[in-house]
Amino acid sequence: MPPDHVTPEIWFPNLGFYFERVPQYFLSIGGFDIYWYAVIIVTGIIAAAWLGIWWAGKIGQNTDHYFELLLVGLVFAFIGLRTYYVIFNWEIFRGRPWYEIAFDLRGGGLAIYGGIIGAALAGVYVSWRRRIPFGLLADVGAPSMLLGQTIGRFGNFFNAEAFGGYTDNLFAMRIRVDRAAYTTPELMQQSVVANGATYIQVHPTFFYEAAFNLVWMILLLIYRPRKKFDGEILYLYFLGYGIARFFIEGLRTDQLPFFGTGLAASQVVSVAFVIASLTALFIGHMRARKPAPVRRKRNRKR
């Protein structure tokens, strides 16, 4: 518990620790601000790239192709991250200049599902360009994506965003109202006054997702040498992440709406990912069980 004279910005009362100050800015130079969020995202990208390129070299792949995948993937992923967010927030962006829609990240954010789709498309492109089986390429990259996502989610902590509704469970997180990226009327009704400040008490959904991603990545890394067919690790990644994200998204208070239907866009996409990955896994395992055709030698006439 913090002393009475301390008003932490973020506080985990049931775990017994707090952060008196959680800075948003890593560095400010001449009015130019570098956010901790950006630093953490870049750290996630570097860690993911290292893991993927290390494994590619270990299994005898040409690591240059995976450097190319990294560069192409960054471009495709950014386009996907932003496009997904803009599509499902079009009312916010309607009528604004295209360059603001594309690049003004202060006026709106990024969405991870768009990045996953963009990265997958980058894999398809590099697979075609370098004549590498897409499944082989994707199985190298899938656990790396999870590592990047695990690290990247902690950027939400520094931004005090991507949280859920009220909870008093073990992981309940209190955010000082003046520090929270947003609030809702429901959260304010259940706000907590402590140490001379008002807090909203929420599910730290960014932490739930980061914890799942880390565990799922470890399990996929353990299983990867035993996979039954190329592409299996990718489909298991889609399956696990889709299931976890569906339930975690249901807790969040900042859901992107699915074209005014009242459904959360990420839950709809999660269901699509789960169905597609289950189908692909079933087909892949059925094909893997079939014995290879025996080639008969032709008798040559002499």
Side-chain angles (χ1 to χ4, degrees), residues 134-152:
F134 173 73
L136 176 62
L137 196 75
D139 285 351
V140 171
S144 303
M145 287 285 293
L146 282 170
L147 178 59
Q149 288 172 244
T150 299
I151 296 170

Side-chain angles (χ1 to χ4, degrees), residues 161-203:
E161 63 185 3
F163 48 77
Y166 175 84
T167 185
D168 195 31
N169 72 11
L170 178 64
F171 301 103
M173 178 176 68
R174 290 180 180 176
I175 308 174
R176 211 170 64 201
V177 169
D178 65 327
R179 182 62 175 80
Y182 58 89
T183 61
T184 67
E186 293 77 16
L187 285 173
M188 291 306 298
Q189 287 175 6
Q190 296 176 295
S191 60
V192 177
V193 178
N195 290 44
T198 302
Y199 294 86
I200 55 174
Q201 186 166 307
V202 300
H203 284 282

Side-chain angles (χ1 to χ4, degrees), residues 4 9 11 20 42 45 98 125 193 206 260 274 277 300:
D4 291 340
E9 290 188 347
W11 180 2
E20 186 172 354
V42 171
I45 291 170
W98 69 267
Y125 169 76
V193 178
F206 67 86
V274 169
S277 57
R300 294 184 180 180

Side-chain angles (χ1 to χ4, degrees), residues 20 35 48 71 95 142 156 174 289:
E20 186 172 354
Y35 285 79
L71 297 176
N156 300 133
R174 290 180 180 176
R289 288 176 185 173

Side-chain angles (χ1 to χ4, degrees), residues 231-245:
E232 185 179 10
I233 303 303
L234 174 69
Y235 302 137
L236 287 171
Y237 161 48
F238 285 163
L239 175 63
Y241 183 73
I243 292 172
R245 183 59 187 270

